[in-house]
Structures are given as C-alpha cells and as structure tokens.
C-alpha cells in the first residue's frame, strides 16, 4: 500500500492548502496555454468549422474540469485530467476523412466508448500496455514530426511573427522552461490579435465570440474513421497519456484504481463528443505539478491541486470563443508553429523511447517513418499503417529469449 493510501481523508487532508491552490491554477494555465493551438489545429484539420471548434473547446473545459474535480475529491488523490495533446497531433496528421467532421465525431464517440470498455474489461487495457513501447513511441514520434518542423518552416512564410515566437520560446526557456511554451503562445496570440488582416470583420467576430456556445454534431460512423481515427486515437490516448499519467502518480506514491478513471474519462469523452469535443484522459506532464511535494508537503492535501486545476479548466472554457476565432483567422503555418513548439519535448521523449533499444530500433523506425509519411490507403491514415507495418517488422525480427540452464 502506498504512503498516500495510509493517510486518512480527515484532519490535515481536509485543511485548505494555499500552495495546492496555486499549483492547481498553474497546472490549468500551463496545460491550456501550452497546447490549445494543437487542439484547434487538430479539430480544423478534420473539418471542424470555427463554431464547432468553439463548441469543442467549451465542452473540453467542462469535461476536464468536472472529471478532475470529481475523481480527485472522491479518491482524495491528485488525479489530474487533460485533453489528449498527442491525439490532437494525430488528427492534424490524419486530416479530413470520408464523411467530414461528423465522421470524426463518430470516431471521438467510439474512442470514448473504447476507454469505457478498457475500464470494464481489464484485458483490453493489458493489450494496449502489451504493445511494444518502441513501436508506440515510434508511432507517436511519426505523428509529431511534421508539427515539430513547422516552427522552422514558418520562418520562410511569416518571418516576423515566427522569429518573434521562436525567440520568446528560446529566451523564456533559458530562464524558466515550464513557462516557455505559454509565453510563446501568449506572444503568438498577441500578434494574431494585432494582425490587421482580419480587419473589421475580425473585430466583429471577436466581439461575437465573447459568449461561446455549444453546437450539436450528428455523429456518422464510417469504417475509414473507425480505423483511421478511432483506433489510433485510442492507442495514443492509452499509451501516451493514461499509462504515463498513472506512472507519474506512482512516482509520488499514488496508486488510484484505474476502473473509475477510465469509466469517468471515457464516458465524459463519448458524451461531449456530440458537441465536437475530442478525448479527455489522465494528465501526464501537468500531473507532476499537482502530485509533487511542490503542491504541498503533505501528500494527503495534494488532491486539492487537481481539484482546483479542474476549476481552472472550467473557467478557461469561457475563453473558447475568443481563442478559437483569433487562432483560426491567423496564418495556418503560424498556428502549426505554435503547436509544434508545444510538442518538441514530447517528440524528443518519443524518439528516445523508439530508438533506445537496438534490437527494436528497425521496427520502431519503420513505424515512425510510415506514420510520418502521410501514407493513406483504403481511406485509412498513416498512424494505423505505421503501427501495422512496424509490428510486422518487429515480429519478423523477434527471437525468443534463450532458456536459462536448469529451467
């Protein structure tokens, strides 16, 4: 039993911790500002209109906020929830599918239901965990590669704004790495707001976006979207978000049961998908902000940080309209540049995990290169084919470990 499980949910654990409140607000700010451009880029890539992007961001804020608040309060553990940033990069790499955005919404619903199934039927979760880590990392690296190149490609297309964003990211990262991407996003959003290309129409759109709304999207279930979006999105969410998120919690001696987490996040994802929102899951990066001793020296009070981060995400839902309008009306390459900066760290970690073990290196590189190639066959995107072909190479090169003498 972990040390955090031995502390009763009374006494010190119920006292308000100002440090935990501050850590929770910071986690929400970093989580939102660092990757909101990735979410918007992913949704527009699969065909969402500006109104549908706004709707998705609003519902994402409530889905993340309410599930984080409910799970952390109920389990008295810092269970942080986030959107699937690698999954949004997957959408950006996949692009539009047959059936348009309604088909993508059908894939979002299916992904949520698969996560619920993983909570109800434990073998499914074990199968995902059994995917060789080099292949999972290779697929993720291939998904992220194009976006991570975008900040440097943007210099040739929008040199002024691109260089300003890159300089902000580099300078702030030298002083406080945690704030590098949020600072770059803030500069980019400021440049977008001051860009005169939007004219009066842009100003009118911003004023009309102050009150964001929710738009129902009738889901369409197509074979292409199920195989090209739903299955890779489920694998990416489980392998790159939920499993690392549990590992981060375990690092700080928290071991919450997975069933309620998967049931809550899967159900929330399936329900809010009807308004254009993609998947929510365990946080991985911002989880450490809420679970570490920096949130509070007392492990029994750190759950308050995750609870407050949920409140923060709900508050950020009110900014969905302004954020979406500014981002979608800006040069696409600049949006990709900001999204790419937010994913550089994730790309580095995925690439390291893919090539670290020499015996699996070839299969992992095949997975990465096929995924990055943008290969589309029978309406199915490259992430699926990358994992399939990389898995075939892995099986071809696999050799059983020699048995030890006497066994």
């Amino acid at each position: 039993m972990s040390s955090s499980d031995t502390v009763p949910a009374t006494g010190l654990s119920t006292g308000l911790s100002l440090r935990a409140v501050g850590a929770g607000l910071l986690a929400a700010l970093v989580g939102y500002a660092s990757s909101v451009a990735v979410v918007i880029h992913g949704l527009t890539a699969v065909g969402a209109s500006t109104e549908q992007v706004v709707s998705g961001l609003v519902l994402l804020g409530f889905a993340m906020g309410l599930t984080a608040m409910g799970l952390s309060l109920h389990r008295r553990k810092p269970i942080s929830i986030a959107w699937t940033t690698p999954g949004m990069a997957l959408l950006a790499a996949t692009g539009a599918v047959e059936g348009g955005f309604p088909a993508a919404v059908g894939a979002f619903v299916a992904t949520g239901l698969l996560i619920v199934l993983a909570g109800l039927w434990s073998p499914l979760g074990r199968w995902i965990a059994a995917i060789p880590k080099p292949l999972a990392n290779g697929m993720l690296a291939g998904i992220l590669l194009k976006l991570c190149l975008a900040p440097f490609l943007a210099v040739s297309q929008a040199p002024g704004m691109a260089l300003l964003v890159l300089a902000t990211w580099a300078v702030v990262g030298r002083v406080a790495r945690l704030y590098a991407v949020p600072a770059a996003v803030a500069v980019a959003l400021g440049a977008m707001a001051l860009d005169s290309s939007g004219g009066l129409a842009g100003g009118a759109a911003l004023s009309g976006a102050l009150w964001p709304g929710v738009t129902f999207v009738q889901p369409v279930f197509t074979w292409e979207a199920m195989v090209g979006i739903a299955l890779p999105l489920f694998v990416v969410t489980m392998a790159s978000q939920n499993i690392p998120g549990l590992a981060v919690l375990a690092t700080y001696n928290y071991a919450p049961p997975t069933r309620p987490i998967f049931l809550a996040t899967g159900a929330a994802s399936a329900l809010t998908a009807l308004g254009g929102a993609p998947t929510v899951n365990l946080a991985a990066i911002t989880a450490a902000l809420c679970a570490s001793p920096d949130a509070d020296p007392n492990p029994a009070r750190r759950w308050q940080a995750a609870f407050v981060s949920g409140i923060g995400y709900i508050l950020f839902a009110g900014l969905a309209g302004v954020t979406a309008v500014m981002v979608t009306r800006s040069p696409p390459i600049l949006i990709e540049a900001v999204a790419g900066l937010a994913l550089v760290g994730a790309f580095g970690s995925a690439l390291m995990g893919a090539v670290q073990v020499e015996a699996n290196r070839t299969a992992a590189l095949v997975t990465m290169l096929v995924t990055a190639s943008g290969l589309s066959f029978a309406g199915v995107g490259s992430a699926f084919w990358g994992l399939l072909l990389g898995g075939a190479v892995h099986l071809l090169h696999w050799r059983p470990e020699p048995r030890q003498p006497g066994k």
Side-chain angles (χ1 to χ4, degrees):
M1 181 178 293
S2 67
S3 60
S4 60
D5 290 329
T6 62
V7 181
T10 57
L12 288 175
S13 66
T14 59
L16 179 64
S17 169
L18 294 180
R19 286 185 63 176
V21 170
L25 292 175
L26 177 61
L29 175 62
V30 170
Y32 193 90
S34 295
S35 53
V36 66
V38 185
V39 177
I40 294 173
H41 183 48
L43 288 175
T44 54
V46 292
S49 66
T50 301
E51 292 75 16
Q52 290 166 337
V53 170
V54 171
S55 176
L57 286 176
V58 170
L59 292 176
L60 275 173
F62 279 94
M64 292 187 295
L66 293 177
T67 50
M69 292 167 66
L71 288 169
S72 58
L73 179 63
H74 176 63
R75 307 305 309 187
R76 289 298 199 275
K77 291 178 174 62
I79 303 173
S80 302
I81 304 299
W83 50 46
T84 171
T85 303
M88 295 301 95
L90 167 68
L91 297 185
T94 302
V97 294
E98 186 72 26
F101 190 59
V105 167
F108 297 163
V109 173
T111 303
L113 294 178
L114 283 172
I115 295 173
V116 170
L117 183 60
L120 294 174
W121 191 48
S122 56
L124 181 58
R126 290 199 296 269
W127 290 347
I128 297 299
I131 294 176
K133 286 184 172 56
L135 299 190
N137 280 306
M139 181 182 72
L140 181 57
I143 290 168
L144 301 179
L145 177 59
K146 283 188 177 179
L147 273 178
C148 289
L149 291 173
F152 311 100
L153 296 175
V155 174
S156 63
Q157 298 186 31
M161 285 192 287
L163 287 172
L164 181 61
V165 170
L166 279 170
T168 302
W169 174 72
V171 172
V172 176
R174 176 66 179 84
V175 179
R177 192 174 67 175
L178 185 64
Y179 297 97
V181 173
V185 171
V187 169
L189 290 177
M192 294 171 195
L194 295 174
D195 185 12
S196 60
S197 62
L200 294 176
L206 282 175
S207 63
L210 293 177
W211 300 102
V214 173
T215 302
F216 173 75
V217 181
Q218 178 68 46
V220 173
F221 299 94
T222 67
W223 179 84
E224 292 85 357
M226 292 302 105
V227 179
I229 294 180
L231 285 178
L233 183 57
F234 172 64
V235 172
V236 166
T237 299
M238 295 295 290
S240 301
Q241 290 282 166
N242 283 333
I243 294 175
L246 290 171
V248 170
L249 288 173
T251 300
Y252 297 103
N253 296 319
Y254 295 101
T258 58
R259 173 167 290 191
I261 294 174
F262 292 167
L263 291 180
T265 56
S269 298
L271 181 62
T272 57
L274 300 176
T279 312
V280 298
N281 39 244
L282 278 173
I285 298 173
T286 55
L289 294 174
C290 296
S292 72
D294 290 336
D296 193 281
N298 182 4
R301 295 202 300 188
R302 295 175 198 163
W303 67 270
Q304 297 176 29
F307 185 88
V308 171
S309 73
I311 297 176
Y313 281 126
I314 292 174
L315 294 176
F316 278 125
L319 300 176
V322 174
T323 305
V325 169
M326 282 197 299
V327 171
T328 55
R329 285 177 175 266
S330 300
I333 188 63
L334 186 61
I335 308 310
E336 294 177 16
V338 175
L341 290 178
L343 295 168
V344 167
F347 172 74
S349 298
L351 185 60
M352 177 72 74
V355 303
Q356 196 166 21
V357 180
E358 185 175 358
N360 298 318
R361 191 171 296 164
T362 300
L365 287 174
V366 168
T367 303
M368 183 186 78
L369 294 172
V370 172
T371 302
S373 71
L375 169 69
S376 179
F377 180 72
V380 179
S382 60
F384 174 81
W385 297 117
L387 196 60
L388 186 67
L389 293 176
V393 174
H394 176 78
L395 291 176
L396 186 63
H397 290 186
W398 180 78
R399 294 289 186 274
E401 295 184 4
R403 296 184 61 181
Q404 298 295 328
K407 292 189 178 182

